């Protein structure tokens, strides 16, 4: 299998992050990252077009140098802010003919949900299955290989986001010279940081960034609710500025190096000097002094999340709380949450080399979503171009564009599937060429080539880590069993 790299572009609260990775066993192997802090973005949105575009360009360059990969295509994540989630149902009919359900039927069904979603100020970004119903008889998580005679129905969640926000992000990314392969909402991406038990019992992921705290609730294997609150890391720094009469940079540095979110565990022995705004003499401050301020802000953020969850009927979180995001680096944040709730609490830090920081959680989760989607398309591709206009029919092209304008991403998703289908065809052609037998009069020449190849293989020294060697040994097995691979993908998707 040809090496294929995935690139995630994360436009965050205060910075642009890029992560380059590849599929490795059942996870993601990160091979390069880049990060650029900028005032051009805030809360995952574009504040200043030129600054944001330059930050994207600079971050891509950093990621190219770190990974050694040429980057021109990216997966883009969008924030949960101004995101709507609703649930709907759709079905395909079989007219009494016994039909074995395949991945193609499932993909067609989810595409129908996407296309039938009403247009408005919000744009459909993600469609995910909650459960399937076969012949109106029983509810299942994975209906593949089952026989249906009448219908296959789906109960699906639909994630939509503000249209203007999406258009501006897409325009800025394309202005930076990049092609967007797909767009994923953080609401869906956070499923990849949860364990099977957490996502089944009911767990909340809380991502506290600089300007926004996002959270998503998952239960029985799928996303149920997501939202955000406006209390986050910047509020902590600003309160430290007011309390200790110091500059923003001084307060931010004190928060990162000596800050503590749980007053009871903070130390009086950790001391630092903070420059004063109206005095040339710095003031001595302890870690406990900082905690007295930090705990209040973090607790306010958590309480705002709890109130919103309760207002939406989520009062029992048996799977616990998972904290992540840049502000999860503050010491004592786990202990503070444990003091507020009875359920278990953990801080999620990515374990991939080069990205072991909570602020990279969102970008790595985008890679996981992209890999899952790509593997699905290796198995089934839906033809969305049955009524393709003639090349010389200008009016027909315009009519087609008008009909698709109701969904901003229709063309994007169709293009993504078309590219995947072409890649599959190229892989199949390469496989056929690889197994063409030589003519009889060239057997000796072919044998000589094989001997040379064997010598070259014996002399070859891997210049990469053992991880890459293990991956190359696994790939032929994965390539030879697409059916079992997709079965595993769907199992992960539905659990």
């Amino acid at each position: 299998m040809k090496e294929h790299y995935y690139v995630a572009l994360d436009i965050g609260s205060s910075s642009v992050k890029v992560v380059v990775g590849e599929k490795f066993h059942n996870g993601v192997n990160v091979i390069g990252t880049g990060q650029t802090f900028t005032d051009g973005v805030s809360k995952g949105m574009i504040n200043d077009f030129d600054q944001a575009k330059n930050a994207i360009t600079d971050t891509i360059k950093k990621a190219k140098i770190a990974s050694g990969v040429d980057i021109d295509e990216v997966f883009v994540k969008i924030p949960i802010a101004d995101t709507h989630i609703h649930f709907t149902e759709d079905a395909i009919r079989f007219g009494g003919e016994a039909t074995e359900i395949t991945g193609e039927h499932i993909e067609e069904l989810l595409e129908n949900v996407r296309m039938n979603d009403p247009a408005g100020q919000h744009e459909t970004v993600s469609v995910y299955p909650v459960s399937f119903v076969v012949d109106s008889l029983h509810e299942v998580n994975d209906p593949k290989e089952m026989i249906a005679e009448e219908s296959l129905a789906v109960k699906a969640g639909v994630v939509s986001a503000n249209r203007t926000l999406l258009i501006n992000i897409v325009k800025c990314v394309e202005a930076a010279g990049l092609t967007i392969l797909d767009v994923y909402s953080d609401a869906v991406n956070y499923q990849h940081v949860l364990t099977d038990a957490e996502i089944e019992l009911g767990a909340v992921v809380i991502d506290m960034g600089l300007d926004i705290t996002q959270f998503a609730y998952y239960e029985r294997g799928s996303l149920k609710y997501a939202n955000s609150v406006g209390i986050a890391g910047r509020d902590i720094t600003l309160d430290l500025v007011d309390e200790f009469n110091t500059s923003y940079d001084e307060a931010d540095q004190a928060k990162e190096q000596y800050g503590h979110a749980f007053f009871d565990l903070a130390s009086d022995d950790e001391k630092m000097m903070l420059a004063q705004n109206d005095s040339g003499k710095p003031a001595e401050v302890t870690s406990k002094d900082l905690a007295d301020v930090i705990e209040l802000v973090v607790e306010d953020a958590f309480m705002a999340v709890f109130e919103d969850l309760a207002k939406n009927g989520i009062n029992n979180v048996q799977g616990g709380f998972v904290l992540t995001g840049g502000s999860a680096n503050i010491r004592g944040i786990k202990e503070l949450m444990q003091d507020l709730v009875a359920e278990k609490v953990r801080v999620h830090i990515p374990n991939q080399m080069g990205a072991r920081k909570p602020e990279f959680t969102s970008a790595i989760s985008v890679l996981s979503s992209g890999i899952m989607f790509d593997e699905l398309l290796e198995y089934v591709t839906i033809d969305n171009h049955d009524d393709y206009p003639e090349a010389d029919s200008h009016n027909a092209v315009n009519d087609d564009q008008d009909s698709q304008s109701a969904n901003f991403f229709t063309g994007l998703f169709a293009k993504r599937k078309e590219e995947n289908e072409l890649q599959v065809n190229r892989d199949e052609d390469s496989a056929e060429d690889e197994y063409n037998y030589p003519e009889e009069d060239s057997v000796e020449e072919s044998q000589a080539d094989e001997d040379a190849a064997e010598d070259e293989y014996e002399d070859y020294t891997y210049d990469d880590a053992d991880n890459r060697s293990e991956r190359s040994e696994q790939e032929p097995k994965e390539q030879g069993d697409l059916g079992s691979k997709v079965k595993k993908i769907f199992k992960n998707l539905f659990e």
Side-chain angles (χ1 to χ4, degrees), residues 2-20:
K2 181 181 178 182
E3 284 186 329
H4 184 64
Y5 299 104
Y6 296 81
V7 183
L9 175 61
D10 178 359
I11 298 173
S13 291
S14 62
S15 69
V16 174
K17 291 180 281 292
V18 170
V19 175
V20 183

Side-chain angles (χ1 to χ4, degrees), residues 247-263:
S247 68
Y248 184 92
D249 290 341
E250 284 274 320
D252 202 50
Q253 185 176 4
K255 177 186 72 175
E256 293 178 359
Q257 294 183 358
Y258 300 96
H260 207 289
F262 195 39
F263 181 82

Side-chain angles (χ1 to χ4, degrees), residues 323-342:
L323 308 178
T324 193
S327 294
N329 284 310
I330 300 175
R331 293 179 300 169
I333 195 167
K334 174 183 175 181
E335 289 76 12
L336 174 60
M337 174 63 85
Q338 287 177 326
D339 190 58
L340 297 174
V341 300

Side-chain angles (χ1 to χ4, degrees), residues 477-494:
K477 183 184 297 184
E478 295 176 352
Q479 190 176 23
D481 194 5
L482 289 176
S484 62
K485 181 197 295 183
V486 173
K487 185 179 296 184
K488 185 176 182 180
I489 296 164
F490 271 96
K491 180 180 179 182
N492 292 335
L493 178 63
F494 297 142

